[in-house]
Amino acid sequence: MELVSRCLRARDMAYCPYSRFPVGAAVLTADGAIITGCNVENASYGLTVCAERTALQRAVVEGHRRFIAIAVTCDIKDSFVGPCGACRQVLMEFGSDWTIYLTKPDGSYKETSLRELLPHAFGPEHLAKN
């Protein structure tokens, strides 16, 4: 699957001199574009940006607002690892219908959904009710 291949390649570009924990992500837009991202760490740890947010922000800069899926990978070989809580919330900003591919370094993946990873989520629709 191309989306998985692209997230694996993005992981190789990670800038992670502090954690040594490279992460790659690839977002599939509604019109079929694939936009990648990797984690970019900072000596001031709180300023580190996750791969998922990097990919999504790049997609937004390129004019995309509707998304279908995201593939995420790291170097952990024996389990599937999902996005952190902050990234799950950022993905929710663009809808709850995401398919998420949790990808191991060997390219095997587990398909899940944002709704499954972030149940009862807070989203933009809650702000409209005020």
Side-chain angles (χ1 to χ4, degrees):
M1 173 190 302
E2 182 65 19
L3 190 64
V4 166
S5 296
R6 298 278 296 274
C7 87
L8 289 166
R9 288 198 306 264
R11 183 198 63 216
D12 294 338
M13 301 306 295
Y15 176 75
C16 52
Y18 308 108
S19 72
R20 307 240 189 281
F21 189 79
V23 180
V27 171
L28 176 62
T29 69
D31 63 356
I34 296 176
I35 314 295
T36 60
C38 62
N39 55 321
V40 179
E41 293 183 348
N42 189 281
S44 177
Y45 295 149
L47 299 179
T48 292
V49 181
C50 297
E52 300 90 332
R53 285 183 275 159
T54 300
L56 189 58
Q57 291 164 356
R58 286 185 66 206
V60 168
V61 167
E62 293 182 21
H64 302 284
R65 298 293 187 276
R66 293 180 41 240
F67 305 95
I68 296 170
I70 186 169
V72 182
T73 191
C74 64
D75 279 348
I76 295 176
K77 297 176 179 151
D78 59 354
S79 63
F80 295 103
V81 179
C84 73
C87 286
R88 294 174 194 199
Q89 184 64 49
V90 170
L91 293 172
M92 186 61 72
E93 181 69 19
F94 293 92
S96 60
D97 292 330
W98 292 78
T99 299
I100 301 179
Y101 298 97
L102 309 177
T103 308
K104 291 182 181 178
D106 66 3
S108 62
Y109 60 86
K110 174 183 178 182
E111 182 178 328
T112 188
S113 69
L114 184 55
R115 285 183 184 163
E116 186 174 329
L117 295 179
L118 191 63
H120 311 291
F122 177 81
E125 67 278 3
H126 293 102
L127 295 176
K129 293 181 181 178
N130 288 332

